[in-house]
Amino acid sequence: MTNRFNIFVVLGFLILFQLTSCIDPKEEYVAVTHFTIDANGELERPTGYRSWVYVGTPVTPNDMNDGKAPFPEMHNVYIDPHSFDHYKKTGKFREGTILVKELVSIGSKTAVSGNGYFAGEFIGLEASVKSKELFPDEPGNWAIFSFTNPEEGTLKQTAAAFPAAMCNTCHQSNAEDDYVFTQYYPVLRAAKGIGMDISPEDNPERKASKKEVSIWDATVPTPEGLVLEIPLERNQLFAYLKEGKYKAYKNQEKELHPSEGPHQKVGLPVKVFINDILAKSLEAGNAEHPLGSVSVKEMYNEDNQPAGWAVFAKTHDKTDGGNGWFWYEVTDSEDATKIAAIGNGVIGCTSCHTIGKDMVRSKFPLN
């Protein structure tokens, strides 16, 4: 009797094993959810999401958007762990994916490490859910919810989905992967289809170390310890310009005139000052100006109000295609951080100035 019972137990386990083995793992995965839709069709506020997989914190602050950023706060974004694993395995967002976006205000803009944007307080919560069963008519089957209640300073317990036109149209036109802005989340990009047995964060390759040089970046080093009439260090140079020390140059234009170059905008008012070294070289008609030559251009806006400076100074005996000149442009007379170009061999500057006499386009004598 005992032996027969044991046989039945073993057979039972074998049958159970075969049944569970026959279950489509994809379907089994879909059954795991991290959200609840109530009887009214509203999403219940997710809990415990800070222990999910964190994918990034984009921020579009007012400071960089003329004070009118549509989303000026930081967005801490999390994805539920089962959906993250599925994304690693298949490269797709599964049925039942939920992404949570926690809104955080901009706090301090200064720290011991320097100026920046630092997190303030938690101010809101949003979520997006992908479900063909629940949202068959939504683009991509994604629905977006907000639990933010700014007037009371609390979060709502449930939230109805936004109308598709409010959110999904933008996501459809601009999001990189299935209505999700994965182009701004390297954690998701690195995990996409990589496989369940691989941790992408363990990959030693780092693309960020390969800095792309724009036409407004320096292409060669600026000499260290070089003393000219103007300082070459950015903060010292801004202070020099702000104090107007260059106004002591004997050679300067008498009136503002429309710029012929792209400083701020072609046609806006400018005024040029040059030091004695450059003035004597221009008077002599030299094909190459000596080390220490300096030109300062005041820039103005449409209302003839100061709007920054453009400076170049000869730091080498040889021009070397513009590499022997130091270039600097700041587009705000009050903000030293609004730098458009700085350093030696800035291609955006040399490409325009190459038509001048050793990079100098101003007519001499100055008008």
Side-chain angles (χ1 to χ4, degrees), residues 152-173:
E152 298 181 7
T154 60
L155 296 176
K156 297 181 289 187
Q157 288 298 112
T158 64
F162 282 121
M166 289 185 63
C167 303
N168 290 35
T169 302
C170 177
H171 283 244
Q172 183 176 13
S173 302

Side-chain angles (χ1 to χ4, degrees), residues 216 230-242 263 295-297 299 308-313 325-333 335-344 346 349 353:
W216 304 108
I230 64 167
L232 302 181
E233 194 277 326
R234 63 176 65 197
N235 292 325
Q236 295 176 8
L237 178 53
F238 185 84
Y240 172 92
L241 296 169
K242 183 71 176 172
H263 299 290
S295 173
V296 175
K297 179 179 290 182
M299 301 187 299
W309 297 271
V311 177
F312 60 107
W325 286 88
F326 168 85
W327 308 87
Y328 171 85
E329 182 168 331
V330 60
T331 59
D332 192 309
S333 298
D335 189 347
T337 66
K338 298 294 181 65
I339 295 177
I342 185 169
N344 278 59
V346 177
C349 300
H353 278 259

Side-chain angles (χ1 to χ4, degrees), residues 22-63:
C22 291
I23 295 176
D24 185 344
K26 183 178 180 182
E27 296 301 320
E28 186 179 23
Y29 222 65
V30 169
V32 180
T33 58
H34 292 264
F35 63 87
T36 301
I37 301 293
D38 67 12
N40 297 319
E42 296 193 351
L43 177 65
E44 295 184 4
R45 178 159 52 88
T47 59
Y49 53 83
R50 289 180 195 160
S51 64
W52 296 358
V53 179
Y54 166 78
V55 298
T57 303
V59 57
T60 52
N62 277 326
D63 301 30

Side-chain angles (χ1 to χ4, degrees), residues 85-150:
D85 286 346
H86 187 76
Y87 192 70
K88 287 177 61 178
K89 181 179 180 180
T90 67
K92 297 180 179 180
F93 293 104
R94 72 183 181 108
E95 172 79 1
T97 295
I98 178 170
L99 292 159
V100 169
K101 180 188 295 182
E102 189 163 41
L103 280 57
V104 185
S105 66
I106 300 293
S108 174
K109 295 180 183 178
T110 59
V112 293
S113 57
N115 297 326
Y117 296 102
F118 303 94
E121 304 296 335
F122 297 114
I123 58 175
L125 188 71
E126 299 176 356
S128 55
V129 172
K130 181 179 177 69
S131 174
K132 184 177 182 180
E133 178 184 355
L134 295 169
F135 314 112
D137 299 325
E138 297 290 344
N141 304 127
W142 287 96
I144 299 176
F145 308 82
S146 175
F147 299 91
T148 306
N149 193 350

